[in-house]
Amino acid sequence: MKLPVLLCSAALLFTSLAVAQQKPVDGKFPPPTAPAATWENLLAGKLTDHWTGMSMSVESPLIKTSPNPDRAGEIVLHIDRGPTGLIRSLKAYENFILEMEWRHLTEAPSAGGGNNTSGNSGLLVCHSAFPKAGGPYPGEGHEVQVCNLGNGSWYTSHGDIFTLPGTNSEGIPDPRFAVSHACGHRSMPVEFRGSKTGEWNKVRITCVDGVLQQEVNGALVTSLHRISPRKGYMSFESEGGAVEFRNMRLQELPGDPDLAAKHIPSLLPETMKTDYITARQAVKLPAGNSIVVADVKKPVALSALAEGLGLPATEVKGRVQLNQRDGKLSVTVDGKPLGETQAVAAGTTGTLHLELNGGAFGHVLIFTPVAG
């Protein structure tokens, strides 16, 4: 009976020594032990190698990049103040460890920054590729707060995380940390670790089987559990003053092979980029596989809206979605099928007429597959 005990003790000692030999991050947490080859650098190369539009264009003048002086071949992402919008990842993720650095370039009003200076950004995770009609945010997801607004009764500038309010999402703040009493779905930092304006913050976000937690500058500060959805895209938010991101890498972890459908939002059938259309004029539609989304504010004949595809003259209003895949075209309006699926000849292109009805359209998005 003593041999197993000795073996267990030896194993524990070996594990302890292995952990102790790892170089700590900011003196507190050991880094993940995975080899460097398993990390995906999300700000390597061009921005469009990993990110695309969602409720704003990835080519918006609010979005800028510059070479990362820390890592050759990588970029620093700069987001300026402007209308709230999101750019999303090309890939969807379930379980992962994500590390990145961010900093604000303008001071919070509470520190004398003045009007139009406060930083308010974030990283949204586990959401669909579609913004809600009438708003920039998806209908589900969770946000890792990146703000510089000071500290109030229901928010801080030190790493809040929360399930998006008013959406089809669930999440319970871990009571071992701090919980906002004014905003019950928000996990508040157990300690304030955020850097000063202009200084970089190092964060690690871990998302595993319904648990979402964040470390800020070496300390575990916030956590949600029982989150839903648990798989989806992630996106950067443009909302407040100038903010920058760099040194962003992600390590995927094994997913749940039995993940329930209720935990998965609407995902694209393949890796697709998004063109966020702002001009209210005729737009040539792509041939082949594509998804076209147009939020129609005034009734319009479908055949006039999407000309050249052989669609009926039925009047439509709301979210109109054209799904063209493998030579077949289907139409939904507010998620409900309109008519039957029809065949589309190879090479067929149509025209989306956004000049109709005085250009009374909300979000207009065209999804096409990413080559390769």
Side-chain angles (χ1 to χ4, degrees):
M1 294 300 293
K2 292 183 178 180
L3 183 59
V5 173
L6 290 174
L7 289 175
C8 289
S9 299
L12 287 172
L13 178 61
F14 177 81
T15 301
S16 300
L17 289 173
V19 171
Q21 289 173 357
Q22 295 178 36
K23 184 179 179 181
V25 175
D26 292 328
K28 198 148 189 177
F29 287 98
T33 57
T38 67
W39 289 93
E40 177 185 0
N41 294 330
L42 297 181
L43 290 176
K46 298 181 296 183
L47 184 63
T48 51
D49 290 340
H50 303 277
W51 304 88
T52 188
M54 184 170 165
S55 55
M56 67 186 301
S57 172
V58 74
E59 298 178 351
S60 165
L62 301 176
I63 305 293
K64 303 180 181 68
T65 62
S66 59
N68 184 350
D70 285 355
R71 296 182 181 178
E74 296 189 25
I75 58 175
V76 175
L77 172 63
H78 179 102
I79 303 177
D80 277 324
R81 184 180 183 88
T84 301
L86 306 174
I87 60 172
R88 70 166 176 89
S89 61
L90 288 170
K91 290 176 60 177
Y93 301 95
E94 182 184 347
N95 292 340
F96 58 85
I97 299 171
L98 183 146
E99 297 179 345
M100 67 176 180
E101 297 178 29
W102 57 260
R103 69 174 177 178
H104 286 288
L105 303 180
T106 57
E107 191 60 88
S110 61
N115 294 331
N116 299 320
T117 62
S118 59
N120 190 6
S121 182
L123 184 77
L124 279 61
V125 299
C126 300
H127 61 76
S128 76
F130 305 96
K132 290 195 299 185
Y137 297 101
E140 67 292 301
H142 322 282
E143 180 171 345
V144 178
Q145 183 80 77
V146 177
C147 83
N148 196 23
L149 298 171
N151 305 302
S153 63
W154 61 273
Y155 65 89
T156 80
S157 296
H158 297 270
D160 308 2
I161 56 175
F162 55 93
T163 286
L164 292 180
T167 66
N168 298 319
S169 303
E170 296 177 353
I172 301 173
D174 191 323
R176 293 174 296 177
F177 297 88
V179 178
S180 166
H181 296 290
C183 190
H185 60 269
R186 182 181 292 248
S187 177
M188 307 280 278
V190 70
E191 61 176 296
F192 286 2
R193 299 279 296 188
S195 301
K196 296 179 180 179
T197 301
E199 297 179 352
W200 290 100
N201 293 276
K202 297 181 179 181
V203 302
R204 182 186 297 156
I205 300 158
T206 305
C207 185
V208 177
D209 294 342
V211 176
L212 176 64
Q213 66 181 34
Q214 179 178 202
E215 300 163 40
V216 176
N217 293 325
L220 180 59
V221 296
T222 45
S223 179
L224 294 178
H225 62 266
R226 295 172 63 182
I227 67 167
S228 181
R230 298 180 184 179
K231 181 177 182 178
Y233 303 98
M234 60 180 62
S235 59
F236 288 112
E237 176 191 23
S238 169
E239 186 177 356
V243 63
E244 291 184 336
F245 299 87
R246 71 177 185 184
N247 297 344
M248 186 178 191
R249 64 178 190 169
L250 181 145
Q251 179 193 152
E252 288 194 75
L253 303 174
D256 180 357
D258 300 316
L259 186 63
K262 68 179 181 179
H263 295 313
I264 307 174
S266 298
L267 301 181
L268 299 169
E270 59 187 304
T271 303
M272 305 180 88
K273 68 176 184 177
T274 308
D275 291 320
Y276 185 79
I277 309 298
T278 57
R280 297 304 181 241
Q281 60 190 29
V283 177
K284 197 72 173 178
L285 295 177
N289 292 350
S290 65
I291 299 173
V292 178
V293 173
D295 291 332
V296 182
K297 295 183 177 180
K298 297 180 181 178
V300 62
L302 181 60
S303 57
L305 174 64
E307 182 186 30
L309 297 176
L311 295 171
T314 308
E315 280 199 338
V316 292
K317 180 184 177 183
R319 172 154 290 185
V320 178
Q321 183 168 322
L322 311 178
N323 303 290
Q324 187 173 175
R325 188 160 190 84
D326 299 332
K328 296 180 179 179
L329 175 65
S330 62
V331 181
T332 63
V333 179
D334 291 334
K336 298 179 180 179
L338 179 68
E340 297 182 356
T341 299
Q342 63 185 55
V344 179
T348 298
T349 61
T351 302
L352 190 67
H353 287 281
L354 299 175
E355 76 280 9
L356 298 175
N357 287 341
F361 296 92
H363 295 299
V364 178
L365 310 131
I366 300 177
F367 299 81
T368 52
V370 173

